[in-house]
Amino acid sequence: MEIKVLKDYNELSSTVADIVETQIKEHLLSKLALPTGDTPLGMYDELVNKKLDWSHVITFNLDVYLMNINHPESYQSYMRKNLFDRTNIYPDHCHFPFRPFSGFEDKISGSMGIDLCILGIGSNGHIAFNEPGSSFLSRTRVVNLSEQTIKDNSRFFGTVDDVPTQAITMGLGTIMESKKIILIASGDHKLNILNVAMNGEVTEDVPASILQNHENVEVYYCD
Ligand code: F6R
């Protein structure tokens, strides 16, 4: 698969924000699947600056930690701070994975499915919180975070011990039903896993490799 290499993080952020802008302007009722983490922060800033009309947009976050949703590092807090509170999106239109998981899946299918899914990639090849070994057929469920993910995400929490050990994540099967998928990665430490996932064997040991089986995926990388 082609990995489009961009010159820096600003270009990565503006390129992907432009894709989201086009999606929203062409289809006011767009359904977006959205990531958290460091990589999309620039994209969210760019999107906010574009002052788009989000009043008909529906969002589905990819994953949430199992933790107090009012904690500053919860993904609900992250989304409010970085996007939702800075646009005119309706809080009722912003969905996070919830129990019963079939209810969340039904919300997605009932809204006619995800038009555009933006993904980051973990250093172990996870997408959303589908850790290595996740079934390619998986749906929304509770998962145990891998040691690698807990270690990687300890930068947000101060210590490894404070990182939640479980999450609810959209499944790989759920993600693959998106009409269009954009994967973004930034930094040298992501290059190797990105190459393995996009051009190596398609295997459940590297969850992101499932994207090789999707017909409408674009992959963007910067150093
Ligand atoms: C978070 C998510 C994860 C992250 C991945 C990369 O909602 O879906 O898969 O995209 O862990 O995180 P960063 O961007 O912080 O390197």
Side-chain angles (χ1 to χ4, degrees), residues 35-72:
T36 57
D38 274 334
T39 318
L41 285 171
M43 170 191 79
Y44 289 135
D45 274 342
E46 294 272 346
L47 279 172
V48 168
N49 290 337
K50 286 177 186 289
K51 304 206 182 307
L52 302 173
D53 179 9
W54 289 77
S55 60
H56 298 285
V57 175
I58 295 179
T59 63
F60 295 94
N61 267 81
L62 293 166
D63 43 19
V64 284
Y65 291 120
L66 275 184
M67 69 186 302
N68 178 348
I69 63 171
N70 295 316
H71 187 286

Side-chain angles (χ1 to χ4, degrees), residues 120-132 146 149 152-153 193 207-208:
I121 182 170
S123 65
N124 61 1
H126 73 216
I127 47 176
F129 274 143
N130 293 284
E131 301 283 29
S146 70
T149 298
D152 289 348
N153 289 5
I193 189 64

Side-chain angles (χ1 to χ4, degrees), residues 81-140:
K81 177 171 158 210
N82 294 301
L83 185 70
F84 298 155
D85 285 354
R86 302 162 74 197
T87 65
N88 68 337
I89 196 164
Y90 284 107
D92 285 357
H93 289 181
C94 305
H95 304 292
F96 293 88
F98 63 84
R99 293 176 208 259
F101 308 133
S102 59
F104 181 68
E105 294 269 344
D106 287 349
K107 272 241 180 282
I108 296 175
S109 46
S111 71
M112 307 299 286
I114 292 163
D115 299 304
L116 175 63
C117 173
I118 311 289
L119 296 172
I121 182 170
S123 65
N124 61 1
H126 73 216
I127 47 176
F129 274 143
N130 293 284
E131 301 283 29
S134 296
S135 164
F136 280 172
L137 300 175
S138 55
R139 313 298 305 187
T140 304

Side-chain angles (χ1 to χ4, degrees), residues 9-223:
Y9 183 68
N10 285 343
E11 196 182 7
L12 178 82
S13 301
S14 60
T15 301
V16 185
D18 287 351
I19 293 170
V20 177
E21 176 181 23
T22 303
Q23 172 67 42
I24 293 178
K25 284 189 166 161
E26 285 181 0
H27 304 277
L28 289 180
L29 301 171
S30 287
K31 280 86 58 184
L32 309 179
L34 297 175
T36 57
D38 274 334
T39 318
L41 285 171
M43 170 191 79
Y44 289 135
D45 274 342
E46 294 272 346
L47 279 172
V48 168
N49 290 337
K50 286 177 186 289
K51 304 206 182 307
L52 302 173
D53 179 9
W54 289 77
S55 60
H56 298 285
V57 175
I58 295 179
T59 63
F60 295 94
N61 267 81
L62 293 166
D63 43 19
V64 284
Y65 291 120
L66 275 184
M67 69 186 302
N68 178 348
I69 63 171
N70 295 316
H71 187 286
E73 292 303 332
S74 77
Y75 285 169
Q76 290 88 344
S77 299
Y78 172 106
M79 290 304 299
R80 281 197 300 271
K81 177 171 158 210
N82 294 301
L83 185 70
F84 298 155
D85 285 354
R86 302 162 74 197
T87 65
N88 68 337
I89 196 164
Y90 284 107
D92 285 357
H93 289 181
C94 305
H95 304 292
F96 293 88
F98 63 84
R99 293 176 208 259
F101 308 133
S102 59
F104 181 68
E105 294 269 344
D106 287 349
K107 272 241 180 282
I108 296 175
S109 46
S111 71
M112 307 299 286
I114 292 163
D115 299 304
L116 175 63
C117 173
I118 311 289
L119 296 172
I121 182 170
S123 65
N124 61 1
H126 73 216
I127 47 176
F129 274 143
N130 293 284
E131 301 283 29
S134 296
S135 164
F136 280 172
L137 300 175
S138 55
R139 313 298 305 187
T140 304
R141 68 202 185 285
V142 171
V143 290
N144 295 322
L145 298 178
S146 70
E147 263 181 50
Q148 183 64 53
T149 298
I150 290 174
K151 192 167 146 240
D152 289 348
N153 289 5
S154 63
R155 69 189 192 282
F156 299 109
F157 288 87
T159 74
V160 171
D161 292 338
D162 291 330
V163 184
T165 56
Q166 290 191 305
I168 309 177
T169 185
M170 240 185 234
L172 293 171
T174 323
I175 290 170
M176 285 293 280
E177 288 166 9
S178 306
K179 295 174 189 96
K180 179 177 175 128
I181 297 178
I182 305 287
L183 179 75
I184 54 175
S186 158
D188 289 351
H189 61 298
K190 294 279 178 81
L191 190 52
N192 185 46
I193 189 64
L194 197 58
N195 274 320
V196 169
M198 297 306 128
N199 297 310
E201 189 193 344
V202 177
T203 162
E204 291 178 349
D205 293 336
V206 183
S209 67
I210 195 178
L211 299 176
Q212 293 185 42
N213 294 338
H214 194 286
E215 58 190 19
N216 194 1
V217 180
E218 290 169 21
V219 181
Y220 293 95
Y221 170 80
C222 68
D223 280 344

